Amino acid sequence: MADSESGATVIAFVSQKGGVGKSTLSRGLAREAAKSGLAVKIADLDTQQGTSVDWHRRRLDEGVEPVISVEGFKTADQALAQADRYDLLIIDAPARASEATQKIAQRAALVVQPTNPALDDLGPAVRLFHELVKAGIPKKRLVFAINHVLTDAEEVAAREYLTEAGYDVLRGYLPSKTSYRDAQNHGRSVTETRYDALNSKADALIQSLINLV
Ligand SMILES: Nc1ncnc2c1ncn2[C@@H]1O[C@H](COP(=O)(O)OP(=O)(O)O)[C@@H](O)[C@H]1O
Ligand SMILES: [Mg+2]
């Protein structure tokens, strides 16, 4: 996981909409990377919500290993300034932050946009990536992650839509499951639920992301 610039590989999770899974996938990636021995940090830029910071506290309370470092930052610049202290810096971005999103995308090796599979969500999601491409971000650094899937057919249709729009989509997806929420309520990641089958599904998605960098 080397980067051409000095410092960490930066992977950012962005979207216009809230609730699509930026924080969820940030934690899943952090957990898998930390478990494989990388020095990793989640930079939580959503200071209003502070979701990942709160999750970190719950993880410590529950004594879940490995400990994952999470820190809140007010600006993208402050977060990116930390990059050379880690192997992997994961940016958990807030919704609706177009300027910050562009700044993050300039520096990130990969910009991941989680999306719900409904058409109402896919249209705006594609438009955000179009904007980044217009701002000069190479298409090959942009990738979608499909989340909140209820049926196989829905996942297939979403993948087709995003591919036709010209973007890469991570292999695998997250089904919509209460157990994923429960796990995160207890400071665990989506790869640390009580169900092996769900952990494997989440792991497949996250490994396909790790394989890209
Ligand atoms: N696949 C899923 N199944 C069930 N709940 C999920 C799933 N993915 C995310 N969630 C839940 O949805 C909510 C929003 O997810 P979150 O990752 O915080 O989104 P974002 O960071 O994009 O706002 C959280 O309560 C989270 O636990
Ligand atoms: Mg979030």
Side-chain angles (χ1 to χ4, degrees), residues 26-27 29-31 33-35 38-44 52-53 55-57 59-60 64 66-73 82 85-86 88-92:
S26 293
R27 300 156 185 179
L29 172 62
R31 193 273 184 178
K35 209 179 142 229
L38 293 177
V40 41
K41 170 154 226 154
I42 299 176
D44 186 349
S52 284
V53 170
W55 171 81
H56 171 65
R57 203 169 301 129
R59 190 174 179 89
L60 290 178
V64 185
V67 169
I68 288 161
S69 166
V70 183
E71 191 175 342
F73 293 94
Q82 300 286 310
R85 299 173 49 196
Y86 302 91
L88 175 64
L89 181 73
I90 298 169
I91 307 265
D92 181 7

PDB file of all heavy atoms in Angstrom, residues 26-27 29-31 33-35 38-44 52-53 55-57 59-60 64 66-73 82 85-86 88-92:
ATOM      1  N   SER A  26     -16.181   2.958   6.521  1.00  0.00           N
ATOM      2  CA  SER A  26     -14.905   3.467   7.069  1.00  0.00           C
ATOM      3  C   SER A  26     -14.421   2.552   8.184  1.00  0.00           C
ATOM      4  O   SER A  26     -13.243   2.186   8.247  1.00  0.00           O
ATOM      5  CB  SER A  26     -15.085   4.868   7.664  1.00  0.00           C
ATOM      6  OG  SER A  26     -15.371   5.808   6.657  1.00  0.00           O
ATOM      7  N   ARG A  27     -15.351   2.177   9.058  1.00  0.00           N
ATOM      8  CA  ARG A  27     -14.978   1.331  10.204  1.00  0.00           C
ATOM      9  C   ARG A  27     -14.632  -0.074   9.772  1.00  0.00           C
ATOM     10  O   ARG A  27     -13.693  -0.678  10.305  1.00  0.00           O
ATOM     11  CB  ARG A  27     -16.135   1.257  11.181  1.00  0.00           C
ATOM     12  CG  ARG A  27     -16.544   2.594  11.712  1.00  0.00           C
ATOM     13  CD  ARG A  27     -17.962   2.480  12.153  1.00  0.00           C
ATOM     14  NE  ARG A  27     -18.476   3.755  12.572  1.00  0.00           N
ATOM     15  CZ  ARG A  27     -19.715   3.919  12.995  1.00  0.00           C
ATOM     16  NH1 ARG A  27     -20.547   2.888  13.042  1.00  0.00           N
ATOM     17  NH2 ARG A  27     -20.124   5.092  13.363  1.00  0.00           N
ATOM     18  N   LEU A  29     -13.420  -1.003   6.900  1.00  0.00           N
ATOM     19  CA  LEU A  29     -12.089  -0.967   6.271  1.00  0.00           C
ATOM     20  C   LEU A  29     -11.009  -0.808   7.330  1.00  0.00           C
ATOM     21  O   LEU A  29      -9.971  -1.482   7.289  1.00  0.00           O
ATOM     22  CB  LEU A  29     -12.022   0.185   5.263  1.00  0.00           C
ATOM     23  CG  LEU A  29     -10.641   0.461   4.674  1.00  0.00           C
ATOM     24  CD1 LEU A  29     -10.112  -0.747   3.892  1.00  0.00           C
ATOM     25  CD2 LEU A  29     -10.667   1.702   3.759  1.00  0.00           C
ATOM     26  N   ALA A  30     -11.246   0.078   8.288  1.00  0.00           N
ATOM     27  CA  ALA A  30     -10.252   0.320   9.345  1.00  0.00           C
ATOM     28  C   ALA A  30      -9.975  -0.962  10.119  1.00  0.00           C
ATOM     29  O   ALA A  30      -8.821  -1.298  10.404  1.00  0.00           O
ATOM     30  CB  ALA A  30     -10.741   1.412  10.293  1.00  0.00           C
ATOM     31  N   ARG A  31     -11.022  -1.678  10.427  1.00  0.00           N
ATOM     32  CA  ARG A  31     -10.870  -2.903  11.212  1.00  0.00           C
ATOM     33  C   ARG A  31     -10.040  -3.932  10.435  1.00  0.00           C
ATOM     34  O   ARG A  31      -9.120  -4.540  10.988  1.00  0.00           O
ATOM     35  CB  ARG A  31     -12.241  -3.460  11.546  1.00  0.00           C
ATOM     36  CG  ARG A  31     -12.248  -4.548  12.603  1.00  0.00           C
ATOM     37  CD  ARG A  31     -12.023  -5.911  12.013  1.00  0.00           C
ATOM     38  NE  ARG A  31     -12.133  -6.953  13.020  1.00  0.00           N
ATOM     39  CZ  ARG A  31     -12.026  -8.238  12.765  1.00  0.00           C
ATOM     40  NH1 ARG A  31     -11.801  -8.659  11.547  1.00  0.00           N
ATOM     41  NH2 ARG A  31     -12.140  -9.121  13.738  1.00  0.00           N
ATOM     42  N   ALA A  33      -7.965  -3.442   7.915  1.00  0.00           N
ATOM     43  CA  ALA A  33      -6.590  -2.972   7.698  1.00  0.00           C
ATOM     44  C   ALA A  33      -5.784  -3.080   8.987  1.00  0.00           C
ATOM     45  O   ALA A  33      -4.628  -3.513   8.973  1.00  0.00           O
ATOM     46  CB  ALA A  33      -6.609  -1.528   7.193  1.00  0.00           C
ATOM     47  N   ALA A  34      -6.398  -2.709  10.115  1.00  0.00           N
ATOM     48  CA  ALA A  34      -5.686  -2.773  11.399  1.00  0.00           C
ATOM     49  C   ALA A  34      -5.370  -4.224  11.745  1.00  0.00           C
ATOM     50  O   ALA A  34      -4.284  -4.535  12.253  1.00  0.00           O
ATOM     51  CB  ALA A  34      -6.543  -2.148  12.504  1.00  0.00           C
ATOM     52  N   LYS A  35      -6.292  -5.101  11.429  1.00  0.00           N
ATOM     53  CA  LYS A  35      -6.093  -6.518  11.733  1.00  0.00           C
ATOM     54  C   LYS A  35      -4.936  -7.090  10.918  1.00  0.00           C
ATOM     55  O   LYS A  35      -4.237  -7.996  11.378  1.00  0.00           O
ATOM     56  CB  LYS A  35      -7.381  -7.287  11.438  1.00  0.00           C
ATOM     57  CG  LYS A  35      -7.525  -8.515  12.313  1.00  0.00           C
ATOM     58  CD  LYS A  35      -8.827  -9.229  12.016  1.00  0.00           C
ATOM     59  CE  LYS A  35      -8.627 -10.739  12.085  1.00  0.00           C
ATOM     60  NZ  LYS A  35      -9.176 -11.403  10.897  1.00  0.00           N
ATOM     61  N   LEU A  38      -1.620  -2.922   9.597  1.00  0.00           N
ATOM     62  CA  LEU A  38      -1.340  -1.561   9.136  1.00  0.00           C
ATOM     63  C   LEU A  38      -1.643  -0.551  10.242  1.00  0.00           C
ATOM     64  O   LEU A  38      -2.545  -0.761  11.059  1.00  0.00           O
ATOM     65  CB  LEU A  38      -2.197  -1.225   7.916  1.00  0.00           C
ATOM     66  CG  LEU A  38      -1.907  -1.985   6.629  1.00  0.00           C
ATOM     67  CD1 LEU A  38      -2.894  -1.573   5.544  1.00  0.00           C
ATOM     68  CD2 LEU A  38      -0.476  -1.725   6.152  1.00  0.00           C
ATOM     69  N   ALA A  39      -0.875   0.536  10.259  1.00  0.00           N
ATOM     70  CA  ALA A  39      -1.186   1.655  11.151  1.00  0.00           C
ATOM     71  C   ALA A  39      -2.259   2.484  10.455  1.00  0.00           C
ATOM     72  O   ALA A  39      -2.018   3.073   9.405  1.00  0.00           O
ATOM     73  CB  ALA A  39       0.059   2.496  11.392  1.00  0.00           C
ATOM     74  N   VAL A  40      -3.459   2.490  11.045  1.00  0.00           N
ATOM     75  CA  VAL A  40      -4.589   3.097  10.348  1.00  0.00           C
ATOM     76  C   VAL A  40      -5.298   4.090  11.255  1.00  0.00           C
ATOM     77  O   VAL A  40      -5.335   3.932  12.477  1.00  0.00           O
ATOM     78  CB  VAL A  40      -5.555   1.989   9.832  1.00  0.00           C
ATOM     79  CG1 VAL A  40      -5.724   0.894  10.834  1.00  0.00           C
ATOM     80  CG2 VAL A  40      -6.927   2.530   9.466  1.00  0.00           C
ATOM     81  N   LYS A  41      -5.813   5.114  10.622  1.00  0.00           N
ATOM     82  CA  LYS A  41      -6.605   6.081  11.382  1.00  0.00           C
ATOM     83  C   LYS A  41      -7.848   6.466  10.606  1.00  0.00           C
ATOM     84  O   LYS A  41      -7.804   6.666   9.392  1.00  0.00           O
ATOM     85  CB  LYS A  41      -5.775   7.339  11.643  1.00  0.00           C
ATOM     86  CG  LYS A  41      -6.581   8.487  12.204  1.00  0.00           C
ATOM     87  CD  LYS A  41      -5.709   9.395  13.006  1.00  0.00           C
ATOM     88  CE  LYS A  41      -6.309   9.787  14.307  1.00  0.00           C
ATOM     89  NZ  LYS A  41      -5.303  10.123  15.294  1.00  0.00           N
ATOM     90  N   ILE A  42      -8.957   6.572  11.325  1.00  0.00           N
ATOM     91  CA  ILE A  42     -10.174   7.139  10.732  1.00  0.00           C
ATOM     92  C   ILE A  42     -10.219   8.614  11.103  1.00  0.00           C
ATOM     93  O   ILE A  42     -10.188   8.970  12.284  1.00  0.00           O
ATOM     94  CB  ILE A  42     -11.457   6.462  11.250  1.00  0.00           C
ATOM     95  CG1 ILE A  42     -11.477   4.973  10.904  1.00  0.00           C
ATOM     96  CG2 ILE A  42     -12.692   7.170  10.685  1.00  0.00           C
ATOM     97  CD1 ILE A  42     -12.692   4.226  11.468  1.00  0.00           C
ATOM     98  N   ALA A  43     -10.266   9.473  10.085  1.00  0.00           N
ATOM     99  CA  ALA A  43     -10.477  10.896  10.319  1.00  0.00           C
ATOM    100  C   ALA A  43     -11.959  11.175  10.123  1.00  0.00           C
ATOM    101  O   ALA A  43     -12.473  11.097   9.006  1.00  0.00           O
ATOM    102  CB  ALA A  43      -9.637  11.709   9.343  1.00  0.00           C
ATOM    103  N   ASP A  44     -12.639  11.467  11.220  1.00  0.00           N
ATOM    104  CA  ASP A  44     -14.080  11.726  11.189  1.00  0.00           C
ATOM    105  C   ASP A  44     -14.289  13.217  10.940  1.00  0.00           C
ATOM    106  O   ASP A  44     -14.067  14.049  11.818  1.00  0.00           O
ATOM    107  CB  ASP A  44     -14.693  11.298  12.528  1.00  0.00           C
ATOM    108  CG  ASP A  44     -16.218  11.402  12.535  1.00  0.00           C
ATOM    109  OD1 ASP A  44     -16.782  11.998  11.596  1.00  0.00           O
ATOM    110  OD2 ASP A  44     -16.827  10.887  13.495  1.00  0.00           O
ATOM    111  N   SER A  52     -18.256   8.264  14.012  1.00  0.00           N
ATOM    112  CA  SER A  52     -17.147   7.321  14.169  1.00  0.00           C
ATOM    113  C   SER A  52     -16.406   7.557  15.478  1.00  0.00           C
ATOM    114  O   SER A  52     -15.891   6.621  16.091  1.00  0.00           O
ATOM    115  CB  SER A  52     -16.204   7.394  12.962  1.00  0.00           C
ATOM    116  OG  SER A  52     -16.804   6.722  11.861  1.00  0.00           O
ATOM    117  N   VAL A  53     -16.373   8.813  15.920  1.00  0.00           N
ATOM    118  CA  VAL A  53     -15.757   9.121  17.221  1.00  0.00           C
ATOM    119  C   VAL A  53     -16.548   8.432  18.338  1.00  0.00           C
ATOM    120  O   VAL A  53     -15.966   7.804  19.234  1.00  0.00           O
ATOM    121  CB  VAL A  53     -15.680  10.647  17.435  1.00  0.00           C
ATOM    122  CG1 VAL A  53     -15.286  10.978  18.860  1.00  0.00           C
ATOM    123  CG2 VAL A  53     -14.692  11.276  16.457  1.00  0.00           C
ATOM    124  N   TRP A  55     -18.469   5.822  18.027  1.00  0.00           N
ATOM    125  CA  TRP A  55     -18.293   4.370  17.848  1.00  0.00           C
ATOM    126  C   TRP A  55     -16.976   3.920  18.484  1.00  0.00           C
ATOM    127  O   TRP A  55     -16.919   2.878  19.134  1.00  0.00           O
ATOM    128  CB  TRP A  55     -18.320   4.046  16.353  1.00  0.00           C
ATOM    129  CG  TRP A  55     -17.952   2.641  15.997  1.00  0.00           C
ATOM    130  CD1 TRP A  55     -18.779   1.553  16.046  1.00  0.00           C
ATOM    131  CD2 TRP A  55     -16.688   2.169  15.520  1.00  0.00           C
ATOM    132  NE1 TRP A  55     -18.093   0.436  15.628  1.00  0.00           N
ATOM    133  CE2 TRP A  55     -16.814   0.781  15.298  1.00  0.00           C
ATOM    134  CE3 TRP A  55     -15.455   2.776  15.243  1.00  0.00           C
ATOM    135  CZ2 TRP A  55     -15.761  -0.009  14.829  1.00  0.00           C
ATOM    136  CZ3 TRP A  55     -14.414   2.000  14.778  1.00  0.00           C
ATOM    137  CH2 TRP A  55     -14.573   0.629  14.580  1.00  0.00           C
ATOM    138  N   HIS A  56     -15.942   4.732  18.315  1.00  0.00           N
ATOM    139  CA  HIS A  56     -14.624   4.442  18.893  1.00  0.00           C
ATOM    140  C   HIS A  56     -14.730   4.312  20.414  1.00  0.00           C
ATOM    141  O   HIS A  56     -14.159   3.405  21.019  1.00  0.00           O
ATOM    142  CB  HIS A  56     -13.677   5.570  18.499  1.00  0.00           C
ATOM    143  CG  HIS A  56     -12.352   5.544  19.184  1.00  0.00           C
ATOM    144  ND1 HIS A  56     -11.450   4.527  18.986  1.00  0.00           N
ATOM    145  CD2 HIS A  56     -11.782   6.399  20.054  1.00  0.00           C
ATOM    146  CE1 HIS A  56     -10.369   4.767  19.719  1.00  0.00           C
ATOM    147  NE2 HIS A  56     -10.552   5.893  20.373  1.00  0.00           N
ATOM    148  N   ARG A  57     -15.499   5.208  21.003  1.00  0.00           N
ATOM    149  CA  ARG A  57     -15.674   5.171  22.464  1.00  0.00           C
ATOM    150  C   ARG A  57     -16.391   3.879  22.879  1.00  0.00           C
ATOM    151  O   ARG A  57     -16.018   3.234  23.852  1.00  0.00           O
ATOM    152  CB  ARG A  57     -16.476   6.404  22.898  1.00  0.00           C
ATOM    153  CG  ARG A  57     -16.257   6.781  24.358  1.00  0.00           C
ATOM    154  CD  ARG A  57     -16.857   8.150  24.653  1.00  0.00           C
ATOM    155  NE  ARG A  57     -16.305   9.211  23.825  1.00  0.00           N
ATOM    156  CZ  ARG A  57     -17.023  10.088  23.112  1.00  0.00           C
ATOM    157  NH1 ARG A  57     -18.341  10.039  23.121  1.00  0.00           N
ATOM    158  NH2 ARG A  57     -16.433  11.020  22.408  1.00  0.00           N
ATOM    159  N   ARG A  59     -16.369   1.113  21.266  1.00  0.00           N
ATOM    160  CA  ARG A  59     -15.429   0.001  21.029  1.00  0.00           C
ATOM    161  C   ARG A  59     -14.471  -0.148  22.212  1.00  0.00           C
ATOM    162  O   ARG A  59     -14.208  -1.246  22.679  1.00  0.00           O
ATOM    163  CB  ARG A  59     -14.661   0.244  19.725  1.00  0.00           C
ATOM    164  CG  ARG A  59     -13.837  -0.959  19.254  1.00  0.00           C
ATOM    165  CD  ARG A  59     -13.213  -0.706  17.873  1.00  0.00           C
ATOM    166  NE  ARG A  59     -12.411  -1.828  17.441  1.00  0.00           N
ATOM    167  CZ  ARG A  59     -12.868  -2.875  16.744  1.00  0.00           C
ATOM    168  NH1 ARG A  59     -14.119  -2.929  16.386  1.00  0.00           N
ATOM    169  NH2 ARG A  59     -12.060  -3.870  16.397  1.00  0.00           N
ATOM    170  N   LEU A  60     -13.982   0.985  22.702  1.00  0.00           N
ATOM    171  CA  LEU A  60     -13.092   0.948  23.871  1.00  0.00           C
ATOM    172  C   LEU A  60     -13.837   0.414  25.093  1.00  0.00           C
ATOM    173  O   LEU A  60     -13.321  -0.434  25.823  1.00  0.00           O
ATOM    174  CB  LEU A  60     -12.532   2.343  24.167  1.00  0.00           C
ATOM    175  CG  LEU A  60     -11.513   2.910  23.179  1.00  0.00           C
ATOM    176  CD1 LEU A  60     -11.110   4.320  23.596  1.00  0.00           C
ATOM    177  CD2 LEU A  60     -10.288   2.012  23.051  1.00  0.00           C
ATOM    178  N   VAL A  64     -13.174  -4.161  22.544  1.00  0.00           N
ATOM    179  CA  VAL A  64     -13.017  -4.893  21.280  1.00  0.00           C
ATOM    180  C   VAL A  64     -11.626  -4.624  20.699  1.00  0.00           C
ATOM    181  O   VAL A  64     -11.206  -3.474  20.584  1.00  0.00           O
ATOM    182  CB  VAL A  64     -14.093  -4.469  20.254  1.00  0.00           C
ATOM    183  CG1 VAL A  64     -13.995  -5.320  18.998  1.00  0.00           C
ATOM    184  CG2 VAL A  64     -15.490  -4.565  20.862  1.00  0.00           C
ATOM    185  N   PRO A  66      -8.893  -5.340  17.358  1.00  0.00           N
ATOM    186  CA  PRO A  66      -7.882  -4.355  17.709  1.00  0.00           C
ATOM    187  C   PRO A  66      -8.508  -2.990  17.982  1.00  0.00           C
ATOM    188  O   PRO A  66      -9.565  -2.669  17.459  1.00  0.00           O
ATOM    189  CB  PRO A  66      -7.018  -4.302  16.436  1.00  0.00           C
ATOM    190  CG  PRO A  66      -7.940  -4.668  15.324  1.00  0.00           C
ATOM    191  CD  PRO A  66      -8.916  -5.638  15.917  1.00  0.00           C
ATOM    192  N   VAL A  67      -7.798  -2.214  18.815  1.00  0.00           N
ATOM    193  CA  VAL A  67      -8.197  -0.831  19.039  1.00  0.00           C
ATOM    194  C   VAL A  67      -7.994  -0.081  17.729  1.00  0.00           C
ATOM    195  O   VAL A  67      -6.989  -0.272  17.053  1.00  0.00           O
ATOM    196  CB  VAL A  67      -7.336  -0.200  20.162  1.00  0.00           C
ATOM    197  CG1 VAL A  67      -7.551   1.301  20.240  1.00  0.00           C
ATOM    198  CG2 VAL A  67      -7.644  -0.862  21.495  1.00  0.00           C
ATOM    199  N   ILE A  68      -8.976   0.714  17.357  1.00  0.00           N
ATOM    200  CA  ILE A  68      -8.860   1.483  16.115  1.00  0.00           C
ATOM    201  C   ILE A  68      -8.850   2.958  16.448  1.00  0.00           C
ATOM    202  O   ILE A  68      -9.686   3.445  17.210  1.00  0.00           O
ATOM    203  CB  ILE A  68      -9.994   1.124  15.145  1.00  0.00           C
ATOM    204  CG1 ILE A  68      -9.732  -0.290  14.597  1.00  0.00           C
ATOM    205  CG2 ILE A  68     -10.064   2.113  13.995  1.00  0.00           C
ATOM    206  CD1 ILE A  68     -10.935  -0.945  14.024  1.00  0.00           C
ATOM    207  N   SER A  69      -7.859   3.635  15.881  1.00  0.00           N
ATOM    208  CA  SER A  69      -7.683   5.040  16.182  1.00  0.00           C
ATOM    209  C   SER A  69      -8.657   5.887  15.354  1.00  0.00           C
ATOM    210  O   SER A  69      -8.713   5.765  14.129  1.00  0.00           O
ATOM    211  CB  SER A  69      -6.226   5.387  15.891  1.00  0.00           C
ATOM    212  OG  SER A  69      -6.042   6.753  15.860  1.00  0.00           O
ATOM    213  N   VAL A  70      -9.434   6.714  16.036  1.00  0.00           N
ATOM    214  CA  VAL A  70     -10.391   7.602  15.371  1.00  0.00           C
ATOM    215  C   VAL A  70     -10.211   8.993  15.937  1.00  0.00           C
ATOM    216  O   VAL A  70     -10.060   9.159  17.154  1.00  0.00           O
ATOM    217  CB  VAL A  70     -11.856   7.162  15.620  1.00  0.00           C
ATOM    218  CG1 VAL A  70     -12.818   8.067  14.863  1.00  0.00           C
ATOM    219  CG2 VAL A  70     -12.081   5.713  15.237  1.00  0.00           C
ATOM    220  N   GLU A  71     -10.199   9.990  15.059  1.00  0.00           N
ATOM    221  CA  GLU A  71     -10.087  11.362  15.546  1.00  0.00           C
ATOM    222  C   GLU A  71     -11.000  12.266  14.726  1.00  0.00           C
ATOM    223  O   GLU A  71     -11.145  12.090  13.522  1.00  0.00           O
ATOM    224  CB  GLU A  71      -8.619  11.816  15.419  1.00  0.00           C
ATOM    225  CG  GLU A  71      -8.320  13.115  16.129  1.00  0.00           C
ATOM    226  CD  GLU A  71      -6.826  13.477  16.083  1.00  0.00           C
ATOM    227  OE1 GLU A  71      -5.989  12.595  15.809  1.00  0.00           O
ATOM    228  OE2 GLU A  71      -6.519  14.660  16.299  1.00  0.00           O
ATOM    229  N   GLY A  72     -11.625  13.215  15.397  1.00  0.00           N
ATOM    230  CA  GLY A  72     -12.465  14.180  14.702  1.00  0.00           C
ATOM    231  C   GLY A  72     -11.632  15.349  14.186  1.00  0.00           C
ATOM    232  O   GLY A  72     -10.703  15.787  14.861  1.00  0.00           O
ATOM    233  N   PHE A  73     -11.961  15.820  13.002  1.00  0.00           N
ATOM    234  CA  PHE A  73     -11.287  16.996  12.440  1.00  0.00           C
ATOM    235  C   PHE A  73     -12.327  17.953  11.884  1.00  0.00           C
ATOM    236  O   PHE A  73     -13.340  17.519  11.340  1.00  0.00           O
ATOM    237  CB  PHE A  73     -10.337  16.587  11.307  1.00  0.00           C
ATOM    238  CG  PHE A  73      -9.160  15.776  11.756  1.00  0.00           C
ATOM    239  CD1 PHE A  73      -9.215  14.394  11.720  1.00  0.00           C
ATOM    240  CD2 PHE A  73      -8.019  16.395  12.238  1.00  0.00           C
ATOM    241  CE1 PHE A  73      -8.140  13.627  12.146  1.00  0.00           C
ATOM    242  CE2 PHE A  73      -6.941  15.641  12.667  1.00  0.00           C
ATOM    243  CZ  PHE A  73      -6.988  14.248  12.625  1.00  0.00           C
ATOM    244  N   GLN A  82      -2.388  14.821   8.704  1.00  0.00           N
ATOM    245  CA  GLN A  82      -2.008  13.676   9.549  1.00  0.00           C
ATOM    246  C   GLN A  82      -1.474  12.508   8.725  1.00  0.00           C
ATOM    247  O   GLN A  82      -0.973  11.529   9.295  1.00  0.00           O
ATOM    248  CB  GLN A  82      -3.245  13.159  10.313  1.00  0.00           C
ATOM    249  CG  GLN A  82      -3.887  14.158  11.205  1.00  0.00           C
ATOM    250  CD  GLN A  82      -3.053  14.382  12.438  1.00  0.00           C
ATOM    251  OE1 GLN A  82      -2.656  13.433  13.096  1.00  0.00           O
ATOM    252  NE2 GLN A  82      -2.753  15.630  12.732  1.00  0.00           N
ATOM    253  N   ARG A  85       1.608  10.113   9.143  1.00  0.00           N
ATOM    254  CA  ARG A  85       1.831   9.384  10.390  1.00  0.00           C
ATOM    255  C   ARG A  85       1.226   7.980  10.370  1.00  0.00           C
ATOM    256  O   ARG A  85       1.356   7.238  11.333  1.00  0.00           O
ATOM    257  CB  ARG A  85       1.257  10.191  11.565  1.00  0.00           C
ATOM    258  CG  ARG A  85       1.949  11.551  11.683  1.00  0.00           C
ATOM    259  CD  ARG A  85       1.319  12.454  12.701  1.00  0.00           C
ATOM    260  NE  ARG A  85       1.114  11.793  13.974  1.00  0.00           N
ATOM    261  CZ  ARG A  85       0.311  12.256  14.938  1.00  0.00           C
ATOM    262  NH1 ARG A  85      -0.353  13.373  14.721  1.00  0.00           N
ATOM    263  NH2 ARG A  85       0.173  11.623  16.068  1.00  0.00           N
ATOM    264  N   TYR A  86       0.573   7.634   9.268  1.00  0.00           N
ATOM    265  CA  TYR A  86      -0.116   6.336   9.198  1.00  0.00           C
ATOM    266  C   TYR A  86       0.174   5.637   7.872  1.00  0.00           C
ATOM    267  O   TYR A  86       0.633   6.256   6.923  1.00  0.00           O
ATOM    268  CB  TYR A  86      -1.632   6.540   9.350  1.00  0.00           C
ATOM    269  CG  TYR A  86      -1.967   7.216  10.648  1.00  0.00           C
ATOM    270  CD1 TYR A  86      -2.062   8.600  10.727  1.00  0.00           C
ATOM    271  CD2 TYR A  86      -2.099   6.473  11.818  1.00  0.00           C
ATOM    272  CE1 TYR A  86      -2.311   9.228  11.932  1.00  0.00           C
ATOM    273  CE2 TYR A  86      -2.343   7.090  13.031  1.00  0.00           C
ATOM    274  CZ  TYR A  86      -2.450   8.465  13.075  1.00  0.00           C
ATOM    275  OH  TYR A  86      -2.681   9.091  14.269  1.00  0.00           O
ATOM    276  N   LEU A  88      -2.419   3.985   6.481  1.00  0.00           N
ATOM    277  CA  LEU A  88      -3.708   4.196   5.821  1.00  0.00           C
ATOM    278  C   LEU A  88      -4.516   5.232   6.595  1.00  0.00           C
ATOM    279  O   LEU A  88      -4.760   5.062   7.789  1.00  0.00           O
ATOM    280  CB  LEU A  88      -4.491   2.865   5.765  1.00  0.00           C
ATOM    281  CG  LEU A  88      -5.919   2.929   5.221  1.00  0.00           C
ATOM    282  CD1 LEU A  88      -5.930   3.354   3.756  1.00  0.00           C
ATOM    283  CD2 LEU A  88      -6.609   1.568   5.376  1.00  0.00           C
ATOM    284  N   LEU A  89      -4.884   6.302   5.921  1.00  0.00           N
ATOM    285  CA  LEU A  89      -5.769   7.306   6.519  1.00  0.00           C
ATOM    286  C   LEU A  89      -7.127   7.195   5.833  1.00  0.00           C
ATOM    287  O   LEU A  89      -7.230   7.316   4.608  1.00  0.00           O
ATOM    288  CB  LEU A  89      -5.194   8.710   6.327  1.00  0.00           C
ATOM    289  CG  LEU A  89      -6.036   9.843   6.933  1.00  0.00           C
ATOM    290  CD1 LEU A  89      -5.936   9.855   8.454  1.00  0.00           C
ATOM    291  CD2 LEU A  89      -5.590  11.206   6.384  1.00  0.00           C
ATOM    292  N   ILE A  90      -8.142   6.950   6.645  1.00  0.00           N
ATOM    293  CA  ILE A  90      -9.494   6.787   6.112  1.00  0.00           C
ATOM    294  C   ILE A  90     -10.291   8.041   6.436  1.00  0.00           C
ATOM    295  O   ILE A  90     -10.428   8.417   7.601  1.00  0.00           O
ATOM    296  CB  ILE A  90     -10.172   5.554   6.745  1.00  0.00           C
ATOM    297  CG1 ILE A  90      -9.384   4.284   6.386  1.00  0.00           C
ATOM    298  CG2 ILE A  90     -11.627   5.447   6.286  1.00  0.00           C
ATOM    299  CD1 ILE A  90      -9.808   3.061   7.178  1.00  0.00           C
ATOM    300  N   ILE A  91     -10.776   8.688   5.404  1.00  0.00           N
ATOM    301  CA  ILE A  91     -11.554   9.908   5.608  1.00  0.00           C
ATOM    302  C   ILE A  91     -13.039   9.555   5.599  1.00  0.00           C
ATOM    303  O   ILE A  91     -13.575   9.109   4.583  1.00  0.00           O
ATOM    304  CB  ILE A  91     -11.286  10.943   4.493  1.00  0.00           C
ATOM    305  CG1 ILE A  91      -9.788  11.198   4.339  1.00  0.00           C
ATOM    306  CG2 ILE A  91     -12.084  12.215   4.743  1.00  0.00           C
ATOM    307  CD1 ILE A  91      -9.235  12.346   5.075  1.00  0.00           C
ATOM    308  N   ASP A  92     -13.674   9.775   6.731  1.00  0.00           N
ATOM    309  CA  ASP A  92     -15.112   9.565   6.869  1.00  0.00           C
ATOM    310  C   ASP A  92     -15.760  10.939   6.736  1.00  0.00           C
ATOM    311  O   ASP A  92     -15.847  11.699   7.697  1.00  0.00           O
ATOM    312  CB  ASP A  92     -15.389   8.925   8.244  1.00  0.00           C
ATOM    313  CG  ASP A  92     -16.864   8.647   8.480  1.00  0.00           C
ATOM    314  OD1 ASP A  92     -17.658   8.826   7.547  1.00  0.00           O
ATOM    315  OD2 ASP A  92     -17.190   8.236   9.620  1.00  0.00           O
TER     316      ASP A  92
END
